[in-house]
Amino acid sequence: MKELLKKMTLKEKIGQMMQLSPFFFIADLEKEAAGPIRELDLNQEKIFSAGSILGVGSSEEMVAVQKKYLSKNRLGIPLIFMADIIHGYKTIFPVPLALASSWNREVVKTAARISAIEASSSGIHMTFSPMADLVRDPRWGRCVESFGESPLLVAEFSKAMVEGYQQNDLKKTGNLGSCVKHFAGYGAVEGGRDYNTVDLSLQTLHSTHFAGYRSAIESGCVAIMTAFNLFEGVPCTINKDLLQKVLRDQWHFSGITISDYDSLHEVISHGVAENSKDAAAMGIEAGLDIEMASTCYINHLETLVNNHQIDLNLIDEAVLRILELKKQLGLFENPYKGAIPSAEQTMVRCPEFLSATKKAATESAVLLQNDGTLPLSTSQKIAILGPYAASTKTNGPWSWHGYNDNNASLNDVLLSRKIPVVFSKPADSLEEYTDHDIDRIRQADILLLALGEPENWSGEAHSRADISLPGKQASFVEFAATLNKKAVVLLQNGRPLILDNILCASAILETWFLGSMASEAICDLLYGIANPSGKLPMSFPRSHGQIPIYYNALQTGRPNTNETHPQEYVSKYLDSPNSPLFPFGYGLSYSTFHCSNLCLSAKRMKENDSLVVSITLENQSPIDGTDVIQVYLGDPVARISRPVRELIAFRKISLKGNEKTTVSFELTKKELSYRLKDGSLVTDPGKFILYVGDDPNQLLQNDFFLE
Ligand code: GLC
């Protein structure tokens, strides 16, 4: 690629560092008297020097744009087509927060794999995924796109997605380049308000928030996207500490860096650049390779080089990385790679893919409460109430290629299975039901209450200050109680919610947004065809006042060790327990699982040894089921204060009725290590405590000594 770089003019080099939406390549530029082309000071020459394109709707559109582009590009350097394929392309999988609830690496990897097959058949070469932002504030709209609050889960599932997308062979049709995002710490926006300030310590960044990005890079992702927020007062998009010191020097990342949408230009709004020219200089100095959607680079870099205000080598380094990526993707051999209209028609939403997303959905739902009402019997008369009684909008945010219209509603599926549905009518509040409706509801044995948030109440720019159930939805549960009917709440939501006012329900099934086969999966779970196995990847607070609340909290100097009878001067609230309503790692099953016999292979461990931890898991019911054994570590004395317990390993185990097994984990020094604020990985000798089990409210405990 160095030979090609030598042939390029400065304008052509700078063009490679710009990413635009397809609009600019399709519009009739002569007629564009006003609008974005003028606002961005673009013209035909600049547009057709761009290096990559954001989004494309179909293989036909991709071929048309690439063909037009190559006809105007002197050196025939093809465009990279990038897009947001977050949890599916045409076959939509559960949203990432739901996929994380499956605690199943293979489920996450399969979702990425199928997404890549479908998206690449439309000519997409790279996806802006995984979103590896660690989250602790449920008010944030983008919790829905995350893998939750655990560094280990975020790291494991980011890795699974990169492997699913790339398959270690980017030239191969059906594979996508993976761009991990948003670097860094975007999930820590203050107040959970999107695009707000982030104020993190380097210690928290390295030990917690970096886990997913680092894991994606170690898994070979080819790009990383900078975050809208700042770190230590400097916008991430021009933050040299992050983009050079951490990314290049510490992590030896050799892929490309790309800004978020307009985030280079927004350095001006952050109050750090005077104008676009300043922003361009700061971006290239920091190591930003591609500018997405804004035009600071294309409009100012040439002047900055000619005035010797920036070093041309910085541009050459960036452009070389971009050309190398195009080579890795095989675009010089085949600029139309992947765009196969016939495949686009046959492969997408094929039975195999729909079956995969249904499996993912059944594993991603979390049973939060059940008085034995679930599973239902097919003879029970059903009434479906609430705002989502007839909804097909189960794809969730970031799924616009997925068409909710193709999805079945809960009502559709129940009727198709000849379930006796005596009433089904969506309503935002009870007042919308007539006396006649109420009479018909009284005939039912079970009230299915389809409650939660609309699809567009989570996702980018959709944070909430009040995360209660919207409107008067709790009244549906109270209404069921007045009728002395069993109420089963089916929650659809993109974040943890405050659920303290629906705990009188007989059962609560957290279904998030489960994608294309949501209703089919929910019905399988309701009738015991599938047995719930999901566990929460984020804590559900009792009240807004507890936020932020997360499982891997530090002990503090005055720990509240007795929630029911707290002492006076300890870290507590006067009006609430410290614990969440539903904790991280919690989820019920129709089976009755029991953990016992936590054993360690030794009580002392040398640092180059390994230690085997084993526990007996028994299914004490006749119902086949799947459980998740979780291993948490406590490090009571270390160089810095460590979480009371931190998830270091987990495994999903399926057992037949009345079956018993022993689950073992081999721990090495790696699992005992943690990051200091300089990013170094350290381990301290001394006592370690292990908390192991399938329910965070009742874990077995044992300890050992590291020499
Ligand atoms: C958006 C999002 C980012 C997405 C990008 C391209 O603003 O922050 O996650 O990948 O723009 O659509």
Side-chain angles (χ1 to χ4, degrees):
M1 289 296 108
K2 286 182 179 171
E3 290 313 306
L4 175 55
L5 185 71
K6 284 177 189 162
K7 296 175 189 169
M8 297 171 75
T9 65
L10 179 54
K11 281 188 190 312
E12 288 169 334
K13 290 177 183 176
I14 294 168
Q16 288 296 312
M17 301 169 75
M18 173 175 67
Q19 179 174 102
L20 294 174
S21 76
F23 160 80
F24 295 97
F25 299 90
I26 299 168
D28 178 343
L29 305 180
E30 306 316 320
K31 291 180 182 164
E32 277 291 319
I37 289 174
R38 294 288 171 271
E39 285 154 22
L40 294 172
D41 190 15
L42 285 173
N43 58 35
Q44 170 114 337
E45 183 193 16
K46 290 177 183 176
I47 290 169
F48 284 91
S49 71
S52 56
I53 193 165
L54 164 58
V56 72
S58 68
S59 55
E60 286 81 5
E61 183 183 44
M62 181 270 189
V63 169
V65 169
Q66 188 77 292
K67 195 170 284 183
K68 182 176 178 184
Y69 174 88
L70 290 173
S71 70
K72 296 172 183 293
N73 186 282
R74 181 176 71 90
L75 293 168
I77 302 171
L79 283 164
I80 303 181
F81 285 74
M82 304 188 192
D84 294 286
I85 314 301
I86 308 299
H87 55 106
Y89 182 61
K90 300 277 176 74
T91 302
I92 302 301
F93 281 80
V95 290
L97 192 60
L99 287 172
S101 305
S102 75
W103 289 55
N104 187 328
R105 298 170 181 86
E106 281 312 306
V107 157
V108 177
K109 190 172 179 178
T110 301
R113 181 85 299 271
I114 290 174
S115 305
I117 293 169
E118 289 193 346
S120 60
S121 73
S122 290
I124 293 168
H125 304 133
M126 200 163 102
T127 177
F128 300 122
S129 173
M131 188 271 214
D133 304 321
L134 186 133
V135 293
R136 290 175 158 174
D137 192 321
R139 293 170 292 183
W140 193 39
R142 303 193 78 166
C143 289
V144 68
E145 301 169 54
S146 78
F147 293 124
E149 66 191 49
S150 156
L152 181 69
L153 291 191
V154 174
E156 290 284 336
F157 298 141
S158 296
K159 175 177 187 289
M161 280 216 157
V162 172
E163 290 171 352
Y165 290 134
Q166 297 191 165
Q167 282 205 316
N168 295 325
D169 179 358
L170 287 180
K171 285 194 178 180
K172 192 176 164 208
T173 300
N175 293 347
L176 285 183
S178 166
C179 173
V180 65
K181 67 188 183 184
H182 308 78
F183 191 63
Y186 183 22
V189 283
E190 286 184 349
R193 195 178 81 230
D194 205 4
Y195 312 128
N196 199 9
T197 298
V198 165
D199 193 356
L200 281 175
S201 69
L202 265 175
Q203 175 57 49
T204 304
L205 200 61
H206 275 286
S207 65
T208 306
H209 290 268
F210 269 174
Y213 316 121
R214 191 171 42 231
S215 172
I217 285 171
E218 287 165 359
S219 304
C221 76
V222 292
I224 191 163
M225 180 188 294
T226 64
F228 286 121
N229 53 281
L230 44 69
F231 178 66
E232 294 184 330
V234 179
C236 294
T237 301
I238 59 155
N239 192 308
K240 208 164 184 175
D241 283 344
L242 291 177
L243 301 187
Q244 292 291 346
K245 195 172 157 193
V246 174
L247 212 44
R248 304 293 183 195
D249 303 343
Q250 281 189 339
W251 296 355
H252 308 300
F253 179 60
S254 58
I256 63 154
T257 57
I258 181 170
S259 80
D260 201 334
Y261 194 100
D262 196 50
S263 67
L264 180 59
H265 183 255
E266 288 167 13
V267 171
I268 301 167
S269 305
H270 275 291
V272 176
E274 182 82 34
N275 51 43
S276 295
K277 188 174 177 184
D278 273 2
M282 292 171 180
I284 195 68
E285 292 284 354
L288 178 74
D289 296 337
I290 296 179
E291 175 183 13
M292 182 195 294
S294 50
T295 52
C296 304
Y297 277 2
I298 197 80
N299 288 330
H300 299 291
L301 279 186
E302 186 177 10
T303 307
L304 288 165
V305 170
N306 294 339
N307 295 347
H308 306 292
Q309 289 170 281
I310 60 151
D311 179 351
L312 175 58
N313 288 326
L314 293 175
I315 290 178
D316 285 349
E317 286 167 15
V319 176
L320 199 52
R321 283 192 285 265
I322 296 165
L323 296 176
E324 286 294 344
L325 175 58
K326 295 186 177 186
K327 181 183 171 192
Q328 271 184 286
L329 289 166
L331 297 184
F332 288 102
E333 290 98 327
N334 177 9
Y336 305 99
K337 175 190 163 209
I340 310 167
S342 58
E344 198 178 20
Q345 300 313 319
T346 54
M347 237 182 318
V348 293
R349 286 180 63 89
C350 65
E352 179 200 347
F353 291 177
L354 289 175
S355 168
T357 186
K358 180 183 169 188
K359 176 180 186 298
T362 55
E363 291 209 38
S364 301
V366 184
L367 184 58
L368 295 177
Q369 193 166 285
N370 183 26
D371 66 1
T373 298
L374 293 180
L376 301 176
S377 145
T378 52
S379 62
Q380 289 172 302
K381 296 190 193 77
I382 302 295
I384 315 173
L385 293 73
Y388 308 109
S391 172
T392 61
K393 293 184 175 178
T394 55
N395 285 349
W398 292 109
S399 60
W400 35 72
H401 296 284
Y403 307 123
N404 274 312
D405 300 353
N406 293 324
N407 302 342
S409 72
L410 189 62
N411 185 48
D412 299 340
V413 177
L414 288 171
L415 291 177
S416 72
R417 297 186 183 186
K418 308 285 185 274
I419 300 292
V421 178
V422 296
F423 177 83
S424 174
K425 182 176 173 184
D428 289 331
S429 72
L430 284 169
E431 287 73 31
E432 295 173 42
Y433 291 138
T434 65
D435 291 345
H436 177 59
D437 291 335
I438 304 290
D439 289 343
R440 287 163 58 210
I441 293 168
R442 288 181 191 280
Q443 295 166 29
D445 302 310
I446 300 290
L447 304 193
L448 293 184
L449 307 180
L451 309 178
E453 297 177 313
E455 249 187 339
N456 63 358
W457 279 29
S458 54
E460 184 179 353
H462 290 86
S463 299
R464 294 178 67 196
D466 176 353
I467 57 170
S468 313
L469 271 178
K472 301 177 183 174
Q473 291 186 23
S475 61
F476 287 96
V477 182
E478 292 146 17
F479 170 65
T482 61
L483 296 184
N484 197 24
K485 298 283 185 185
K486 292 282 188 185
V488 175
V489 173
L490 302 173
L491 273 182
Q492 73 161 38
N493 43 295
R495 57 165 61 80
L497 297 176
I498 304 295
L499 302 176
D500 59 336
N501 56 358
I502 63 165
L503 297 180
C504 60
S506 306
I508 302 173
L509 184 66
E510 174 57 76
T511 71
W512 309 112
F513 291 103
L514 290 176
S516 299
M517 295 291 281
S519 297
E520 290 84 347
I522 290 168
C523 286
D524 281 3
L525 290 162
L526 287 174
Y527 288 89
I529 297 165
N531 188 350
S533 61
K535 302 284 185 183
L536 291 179
M538 258 189 100
S539 309
F540 274 53
R542 298 173 190 276
S543 68
H544 292 87
Q546 285 187 311
I547 296 169
I549 181 168
Y550 45 91
Y551 87 95
N552 53 345
L554 306 185
Q555 173 125 298
T556 79
R558 295 196 173 192
N560 178 9
T561 52
N562 185 331
E563 283 237 316
T564 50
H565 299 85
Q567 297 171 303
E568 182 76 11
Y569 296 101
V570 295
S571 180
K572 70 174 188 297
Y573 300 103
L574 293 178
D575 53 358
S576 165
N578 291 13
S579 60
L581 179 63
F582 296 113
F584 170 87
Y586 178 82
L588 300 173
S589 167
Y590 297 147
S591 305
T592 306
F593 288 108
H594 178 69
C595 293
S596 62
N597 196 25
L598 173 60
C599 297
L600 307 185
S601 58
K603 291 295 277 183
R604 299 186 75 82
M605 176 184 166
K606 291 187 173 50
E607 70 166 14
N608 295 324
D609 285 355
S610 63
L611 180 85
V612 176
V613 184
S614 62
I615 189 169
T616 301
L617 175 66
E618 183 176 6
N619 180 353
Q620 295 180 334
S621 77
I623 304 167
D624 298 356
T626 302
D627 203 5
V628 180
I629 295 294
Q630 304 157 45
V631 182
Y632 296 86
L633 181 79
D635 184 355
V637 180
R639 260 169 272 195
I640 57 170
S641 181
R642 304 275 297 117
V644 171
R645 64 178 195 231
E646 180 121 63
L647 184 72
I648 57 168
F650 66 93
R651 194 170 312 141
K652 203 159 189 180
I653 303 287
S654 293
L655 289 180
K656 295 289 185 197
N658 302 310
E659 188 184 2
K660 184 188 317 189
T661 188
T662 299
V663 187
S664 302
F665 299 84
E666 185 171 2
L667 303 183
T668 63
K669 178 180 162 187
K670 176 175 173 288
E671 283 74 34
L672 312 183
S673 305
Y674 59 95
R675 300 271 175 186
L676 294 176
K677 65 181 181 183
D678 63 359
S680 59
L681 195 63
V682 298
T683 315
D684 298 308
K687 179 181 175 183
F688 286 88
I689 303 168
L690 287 170
Y691 306 91
V692 187
D694 63 351
D695 177 351
N697 291 322
Q698 43 189 349
L699 297 168
L700 301 181
Q701 190 175 325
N702 204 328
D703 56 56
F704 66 96
F705 195 91
L706 176 69
E707 293 175 356

